Amino acid sequence: MSVLTNAQTLGPKSGNIQQTLGILGGGQLGRMICQAAIPLNISIAILDPSDECPARSVCTRFQKGSFKDYQTVLDFGRSVDVLSIEIEDVNIEALLQLKSEGKVISPEPEAIQLIQDKGLQKLFYQKEHLPTMPFELFENAAEVREAIAQNRFTFPFVQKTRRAGYDGLGVLVVRSESDLSRLFDVPSVVEVCCDIDKEIAVIVARNAQGECVVYDPIGMDFDPRANLISQLVYPAHLSAEITQSAIVLAKNVIEKLNMTGLLAVELFLDKNGQLQINEVAPRPHNSGHQTIESTITSQYEQHLRSVLNLPLGSTHIKVPSVMLNLLGEPGFSGPVAYEGVSECLALAGVKIHLYGKAETRPFRKMGHVTILDQSPAEADRKAEIVRNTLKVKSL
Amino acid sequence: MSVLTNAQTLGPKSGNIQQTLGILGGGQLGRMICQAAIPLNISIAILDPSDECPARSVCTRFQKGSFKDYQTVLDFGRSVDVLSIEIEDVNIEALLQLKSEGKVISPEPEAIQLIQDKGLQKLFYQKEHLPTMPFELFENAAEVREAIAQNRFTFPFVQKTRRAGYDGLGVLVVRSESDLSRLFDVPSVVEVCCDIDKEIAVIVARNAQGECVVYDPIGMDFDPRANLISQLVYPAHLSAEITQSAIVLAKNVIEKLNMTGLLAVELFLDKNGQLQINEVAPRPHNSGHQTIESTITSQYEQHLRSVLNLPLGSTHIKVPSVMLNLLGEPGFSGPVAYEGVSECLALAGVKIHLYGKAETRPFRKMGHVTILDQSPAEADRKAEIVRNTLKVKSL
């Protein structure tokens, strides 16, 4: 048993590393949180419905169960000292009950609840005068069609389901009349299409003492086939002015949400040079994987520091990078087989991360690759080789 | 189940990451090897006599047993695809038997056998014309006394036991007649004291394809109380000429040993500007901890790459650093309690590594701290704060 007595000079509210941290969800983000916990010897308990989830082999304690189930989350929450998440689609009622019992939960249930619902997110931005594209909320597809008929929206526009949007599911770009048959017939947000110059993400962290640190903006390139991020550039190539605006905006959002933990703020930079908030995620984010090697403090370690109310870490960039998601190759499903690992390991600065998933399927996130290089051109050159060489197939 | 088909362009001898790697020993070095294996999803089996060894909680499979026992090592070796070590004090006969059965063992048993015996090490340097301090081998204390009586050695000199020297045990500096009563009465090496200007270490890696990479020299400061490294400076402050000589020498040693894997070469720089080999270790080394955050490829990932015959990784330094061992405070034994963790986490660039040992005792290696900073003066300033703040005590 180890006891920490490290909090004296930081006041009674500061955290310690001796507590058991429970995480709802055991996917790759949970796995990388666990990896960051090992050097600090922090005990992590994971709740996930899958026996084969990526975090299982690296956590301190695994509990099989649904993070969407009230009683399961309640029981799991009572078994840990501090409770956090790696996915926002969790049972909020259980979190609110746990909070009322005095459990420390970070991010706060109220923030998760707001972020879970893209409609509430948009209303929050509107209320707080935070920049976001104009929108309207609808209950079903018929209401959306009626709004179109009344010319309240013009093509193209974006429909997003209010709940359970994840990895590109639940987002539809409606370009013309012919797309209307594909409208989601559930509560949704319809918003004006942004005339996008660049998509960026800014990761910000805040602890219970109100300390706040922000990472440099990350440039996001999307793969239109998979509707997933295909390449990230860190730091994003932006003017100093836009960089500063994005950092201030991200800090503003986490403070207005009054939340602790990590928040990834996805932004559009429109062709008028204005930043618009797309959406936020209250946890480590796909766009922050490269902080593991690029930055003094990774987003995963920062998540631990922020939710445990430890001092936040430096976000200084050690070496710039490009990051690629490693997705299941289209046309392959079943037991995973990797191609090109050795060839890519032979490239200086190429760091391969495999999530240990036993089965692949088309576009499933199976890993990522961070390419460290001082030269952006050289990083791009290596990224192109990795894209053409490293493949996730099945037997 | 996952299968790798990554070896095509690198020839039939190149490695893959799908094999199970067995490691003899589960101390902190084994723990950090396991941590490096997670992103590559490499399965690691650990053999260690202690149920509570640091590697246990992070390895894929743990087997309790002695790495010094013939049958235990034989059985364990047969259960893995490739066998390696994190400590050199292992049963060599079992390794030689496994090798004769076709098992891939890296580093090679012959190299481990030679390095286990400081007498054989010295004879090897002599035979290969590698620079090392003049020495003589003795069977017992009486023989040493006789040599002194015959003026074959003058004070001060160093006596090292040939076997089982570890962490400063088995090394005696004999300064005068009065120290002679403390001579080890076992087979030993007696060598002339080097007039040391600096102690440095150079870590070199080599794979089965003969690829070889070298890390920049690391400057080592010793704590005379504990006879352990107290602070490392990476890279060492040396002239370009000495740096180059040290790198060439380390490469020379691993090639002459004809070994694969990682080799830490400890060197003295004497006051005449000459490098002298002190001793070597065929595994990740205490002097290389800071490569985790300082270097593109950590020594632990490099160990995996070299023993699995994967392409070796870049040893480019991302950010210079100072590293401190975190030792059990004198006067405290029992269940561990850390002091000052939060205070140190509040310093930018301070990375704390705790090995998860349940019990402390005076001078036991309980963790280490790497301090990343572009400015050597700033790194030293933070190191001083860490030394005065972060304490390992007991309840």
Side-chain angles (χ1 to χ4, degrees):
Chain A
M1 201 193 66
S2 77
V3 166
L4 268 285
T5 54
N6 56 3
Q8 291 84 349
T9 65
L10 290 155
K13 280 183 172 171
S14 76
N16 76 53
I17 58 173
Q18 186 223 353
Q19 304 165 87
T20 293
L21 175 63
I23 304 276
L24 301 177
Q28 59 267 16
L29 301 175
R31 177 180 171 94
M32 290 183 273
I33 292 169
C34 290
Q35 288 172 248
I38 297 169
L40 291 168
N41 202 38
I42 294 170
S43 294
I44 307 269
I46 292 281
L47 177 70
D48 194 274
S50 168
D51 268 338
E52 297 190 332
C53 70
R56 181 171 190 178
S57 61
V58 291
C59 65
T60 316
R61 177 167 73 83
F62 174 73
Q63 185 179 324
K64 184 176 178 171
S66 172
F67 42 73
K68 298 182 187 183
D69 179 69
Y70 177 81
Q71 195 60 45
T72 306
V73 172
L74 196 63
D75 293 342
F76 178 76
R78 286 173 178 161
S79 76
V80 299
D81 297 314
V82 176
L83 188 58
S84 189
I85 59 168
E86 62 109 51
I87 184 168
E88 53 270 38
D89 192 19
V90 298
N91 190 289
I92 293 294
E93 291 67 33
L95 295 187
L96 291 168
Q97 174 59 30
L98 287 163
K99 187 174 175 179
S100 76
E101 294 173 8
K103 185 66 62 185
V104 178
I105 303 172
S106 176
E108 289 68 16
E110 297 80 1
I112 303 172
Q113 188 168 34
L114 187 150
I115 292 167
Q116 273 184 348
D117 182 332
K118 289 181 184 172
L120 294 181
Q121 263 193 59
K122 293 291 280 191
L123 291 169
F124 163 78
Y125 304 138
Q126 192 174 54
K127 172 170 157 273
E128 298 292 348
H129 307 294
L130 294 163
T132 195
M133 296 306 290
F135 69 98
E136 210 173 313
L137 304 184
F138 297 98
E139 283 303 305
N140 53 48
E143 282 190 9
V144 179
R145 284 196 196 88
E146 194 185 319
I148 302 296
Q150 295 170 355
N151 286 319
R152 276 152 55 200
F153 281 94
T154 53
F155 299 112
F157 64 83
V158 179
Q159 186 197 26
K160 296 176 179 174
T161 60
R162 288 183 62 166
R163 294 295 302 268
Y166 186 66
D167 278 357
L169 301 172
V171 177
L172 179 70
V173 180
V174 183
R175 297 178 200 280
S176 66
E177 290 279 345
S178 64
D179 287 336
L180 291 178
S181 61
R182 294 162 54 214
L183 282 174
F184 300 115
D185 194 20
V186 294
S188 70
V189 178
V190 168
E191 67 177 34
V192 173
C193 263
C194 182
D195 194 10
I196 298 171
D197 179 22
K198 273 191 176 139
E199 294 194 44
I200 63 175
V202 182
I203 295 170
V204 54
R206 188 163 171 266
N207 67 14
Q209 299 191 83
E211 195 188 353
C212 194
V213 296
V214 191
Y215 287 82
D216 278 298
I218 302 145
M220 301 159 75
D221 293 344
F222 272 82
D223 177 343
R225 289 181 309 166
N227 198 20
L228 282 173
I229 298 162
S230 65
Q231 177 167 324
L232 290 145
V233 180
Y234 181 62
H237 305 314
L238 298 170
S239 71
E241 192 192 341
I242 299 285
T243 296
Q244 195 48 36
S245 300
I247 286 172
V248 168
L249 181 52
K251 211 169 158 178
N252 216 346
V253 176
I254 201 168
E255 283 172 355
K256 292 251 163 87
L257 280 169
N258 196 24
M259 67 165 268
T260 61
L262 209 65
L263 187 75
V265 183
E266 295 186 38
L267 299 168
F268 300 132
L269 176 64
D270 71 23
K271 289 189 175 148
N272 298 319
Q274 298 300 307
L275 292 168
Q276 306 285 353
I277 300 171
N278 177 18
E279 58 185 52
V280 300
R283 51 165 170 81
H285 193 251
N286 187 85
S287 66
H289 294 330
Q290 73 291 336
T291 58
I292 295 171
E293 292 97 354
S294 267
T295 315
I296 295 281
T297 312
S298 77
Q299 67 164 346
Y300 301 101
E301 182 182 335
Q302 202 74 274
H303 181 79
L304 294 170
R305 288 176 181 243
S306 59
V307 305
L308 292 174
N309 196 19
L310 294 163
L312 301 183
S314 163
T315 58
H316 177 79
I317 294 177
K318 296 193 277 191
V319 184
S321 58
V322 161
M323 191 283 280
L324 310 175
N325 280 302
L326 192 53
L327 307 179
E329 202 67 15
F332 294 88
S333 288
V336 69
Y338 304 98
E339 263 184 28
V341 170
S342 276
E343 287 83 343
C344 292
L345 287 177
L347 298 168
V350 168
K351 310 302 286 186
I352 298 176
H353 294 253
L354 303 177
Y355 301 150
K357 296 177 184 178
E359 302 262 326
T360 186
R361 52 176 191 264
F363 303 116
R364 188 177 191 196
K365 286 183 186 170
M366 301 299 290
H368 75 264
V369 181
T370 297
I371 297 148
L372 299 162
D373 209 296
Q374 289 293 349
S375 151
E378 191 57 13
D380 281 345
R381 187 187 70 80
K382 288 176 188 167
E384 187 61 20
I385 297 174
V386 172
R387 246 190 307 273
N388 293 332
T389 310
L390 191 56
K391 301 285 179 188
V392 183
K393 298 185 177 175
S394 60
L395 296 174
Chain B
M1 200 192 67
S2 78
V3 167
L4 267 284
T5 54
N6 56 4
Q8 290 84 351
T9 65
L10 290 156
K13 279 184 175 172
S14 76
N16 77 53
I17 59 174
Q18 187 224 350
Q19 304 164 89
T20 293
L21 176 63
I23 304 276
L24 301 178
Q28 59 266 18
L29 301 175
R31 178 179 170 94
M32 290 183 272
I33 292 170
C34 290
Q35 289 173 248
I38 297 169
L40 291 168
N41 201 39
I42 293 169
S43 294
I44 307 269
I46 293 280
L47 177 70
D48 194 275
S50 167
D51 269 337
E52 296 189 332
C53 70
R56 179 171 192 178
S57 61
V58 291
C59 66
T60 316
R61 177 168 72 81
F62 174 73
Q63 185 180 322
K64 184 175 177 170
S66 170
F67 42 74
K68 298 183 188 181
D69 179 69
Y70 178 81
Q71 195 59 44
T72 306
V73 171
L74 196 63
D75 293 343
F76 178 76
R78 285 172 178 162
S79 76
V80 299
D81 298 313
V82 176
L83 189 58
S84 190
I85 60 168
E86 62 107 54
I87 183 167
E88 54 270 38
D89 192 18
V90 297
N91 190 289
I92 294 294
E93 291 67 33
L95 296 186
L96 290 168
Q97 173 59 29
L98 286 162
K99 186 174 178 182
S100 76
E101 295 173 8
K103 185 66 63 186
V104 178
I105 304 172
S106 176
E108 289 68 16
E110 297 81 0
I112 303 173
Q113 188 167 33
L114 187 149
I115 293 167
Q116 274 184 348
D117 182 331
K118 289 181 184 172
L120 294 181
Q121 263 193 60
K122 293 291 280 191
L123 291 170
F124 164 78
Y125 305 137
Q126 191 174 56
K127 171 170 156 273
E128 298 293 347
H129 308 293
L130 294 163
T132 195
M133 296 306 290
F135 68 99
E136 209 171 316
L137 303 184
F138 296 97
E139 283 303 305
N140 51 49
E143 283 190 9
V144 179
R145 284 196 196 88
E146 193 185 321
I148 301 295
Q150 296 170 353
N151 285 319
R152 275 151 56 199
F153 281 94
T154 53
F155 299 111
F157 63 84
V158 179
Q159 186 197 27
K160 297 176 180 174
T161 60
R162 289 184 62 166
R163 293 295 302 267
Y166 187 67
D167 278 357
L169 300 173
V171 177
L172 178 71
V173 180
V174 184
R175 297 178 200 281
S176 66
E177 291 279 346
S178 63
D179 288 334
L180 289 178
S181 61
R182 294 161 55 214
L183 281 174
F184 301 114
D185 193 20
V186 293
S188 69
V189 178
V190 168
E191 66 178 34
V192 173
C193 263
C194 182
D195 194 9
I196 299 172
D197 179 22
K198 273 189 178 142
E199 294 195 44
I200 62 175
V202 182
I203 294 170
V204 55
R206 188 163 172 267
N207 68 15
Q209 300 190 83
E211 197 188 351
C212 193
V213 296
V214 190
Y215 288 81
D216 278 298
I218 302 145
M220 301 158 76
D221 293 343
F222 273 84
D223 178 342
R225 288 181 309 165
N227 198 20
L228 282 172
I229 298 164
S230 66
Q231 175 167 325
L232 290 145
V233 180
Y234 182 60
H237 305 313
L238 299 171
S239 71
E241 191 192 342
I242 299 286
T243 296
Q244 195 49 35
S245 299
I247 287 173
V248 168
L249 180 53
K251 212 169 156 177
N252 215 347
V253 176
I254 201 169
E255 284 171 354
K256 292 250 165 86
L257 280 169
N258 196 25
M259 67 164 267
T260 62
L262 210 65
L263 187 75
V265 183
E266 295 186 38
L267 299 168
F268 300 132
L269 176 64
D270 70 23
K271 289 189 174 149
N272 297 319
Q274 298 300 306
L275 292 167
Q276 306 284 353
I277 300 171
N278 177 17
E279 58 186 49
V280 300
R283 51 163 171 83
H285 194 251
N286 187 85
S287 66
H289 294 331
Q290 73 292 337
T291 58
I292 295 172
E293 292 97 354
S294 266
T295 315
I296 295 281
T297 312
S298 77
Q299 68 165 346
Y300 301 101
E301 182 183 334
Q302 202 75 272
H303 181 79
L304 292 171
R305 289 177 181 242
S306 59
V307 303
L308 292 173
N309 196 19
L310 293 162
L312 300 183
S314 163
T315 57
H316 178 79
I317 294 177
K318 297 194 277 190
V319 184
S321 58
V322 161
M323 193 282 280
L324 311 176
N325 282 303
L326 191 53
L327 306 179
E329 202 67 16
F332 294 89
S333 288
V336 67
Y338 304 99
E339 263 184 27
V341 170
S342 276
E343 288 82 345
C344 292
L345 288 176
L347 298 169
V350 168
K351 312 300 288 185
I352 297 176
H353 294 252
L354 303 176
Y355 301 150
K357 296 177 184 177
E359 303 261 325
T360 187
R361 51 174 190 264
F363 304 115
R364 188 178 190 195
K365 287 184 185 170
M366 300 300 289
H368 74 264
V369 181
T370 297
I371 297 149
L372 300 162
D373 211 296
Q374 289 294 349
S375 150
E378 190 58 10
D380 280 345
R381 187 186 69 82
K382 290 175 189 168
E384 188 61 21
I385 297 174
V386 172
R387 246 191 307 271
N388 292 333
T389 310
L390 190 57
K391 301 284 178 188
V392 182
K393 298 185 176 175
S394 60
L395 296 174

